[in-house]
Amino acid sequence: MSIQLPQNGVYRLSAQAAESLDATVVPQVVVLNWHKLPVTQWSRDELLDGLARGLNFPDHFGHNWDAAWDCLTELTWQAGEHKIIVLPNTDQSSHDTQAMTTFLNLMGEACEHWKEQGQQLLVLIAWDEGRPVPEWLSGVPVLADE
């Protein structure tokens, strides 16, 4: 399998492709800073907790969207590295539409912020291809795997 990574942004990727991603599959990444957010249910609290744990937010993180923005824009990594955040495939029957919409907007803005700083940030949303795509995910472009 081969995946061509775009510069920055939020993308949908098949759950199978997301599970098999590593530095050998994405050879153009100099150093792969990999964070699979430990989210089991897509709710506001789970998403914020997943970001905090997956990206090692500081202890003073306020567990709200504004505080998440602050922490996302304070991340550090070396020039030439990609920071790739994967929201793993979960039981989509329990997702919170409002939380996911807010999460996608937040992550899209963070990707733009880091693009302006010359850094590479990608967010990949793993999704089972056979399942219906909910409205909040329908506008997210698909990252094809070969």
Side-chain angles (χ1 to χ4, degrees), residues 15-55:
Q16 181 181 8
E19 282 298 315
S20 63
L21 281 177
D22 63 25
T24 62
V25 174
V26 190
Q28 70 270 38
V29 176
V30 176
V31 175
L32 186 63
N33 280 343
W34 195 256
H35 300 280
K36 288 188 178 182
L37 297 181
V39 176
T40 58
Q41 171 185 333
W42 293 345
S43 69
R44 177 189 176 278
D45 290 340
E46 282 285 326
L47 289 164
L48 289 168
D49 287 346
L51 281 171
R53 287 191 318 263
L55 297 173

Side-chain angles (χ1 to χ4, degrees), residues 6-136:
Q7 290 296 331
N8 286 55
V10 179
Y11 298 89
R12 185 169 18 135
L13 183 64
S14 73
Q16 181 181 8
E19 282 298 315
S20 63
L21 281 177
D22 63 25
T24 62
V25 174
V26 190
Q28 70 270 38
V29 176
V30 176
V31 175
L32 186 63
N33 280 343
W34 195 256
H35 300 280
K36 288 188 178 182
L37 297 181
V39 176
T40 58
Q41 171 185 333
W42 293 345
S43 69
R44 177 189 176 278
D45 290 340
E46 282 285 326
L47 289 164
L48 289 168
D49 287 346
L51 281 171
R53 287 191 318 263
L55 297 173
N56 298 315
F57 285 178
D59 291 338
H60 65 269
F61 171 60
H63 293 281
N64 61 61
W65 297 119
D66 289 336
W69 169 256
D70 292 342
C71 291
L72 284 167
T73 58
E74 294 171 358
L75 296 172
T76 58
W77 64 96
Q78 300 296 315
E81 292 179 344
H82 279 68
K83 189 168 288 280
I84 300 175
I85 299 169
V86 178
L87 187 66
N89 191 37
T90 64
D91 175 11
Q92 289 90 17
S93 64
S94 61
H95 67 265
D96 177 333
T97 299
Q98 183 177 3
M100 285 309 303
T101 300
T102 302
F103 175 81
L104 293 176
N105 289 334
L106 174 75
M107 299 314 292
E109 290 173 7
C111 289
E112 278 300 309
H113 167 81
W114 286 111
K115 181 179 180 181
E116 291 170 3
Q117 307 302 313
Q119 296 286 42
Q120 307 295 311
L121 175 63
L122 291 171
V123 178
L124 303 177
I125 310 294
W127 192 261
D128 283 332
E129 292 177 326
R131 293 185 183 214
V133 177
E135 185 177 329
W136 58 263

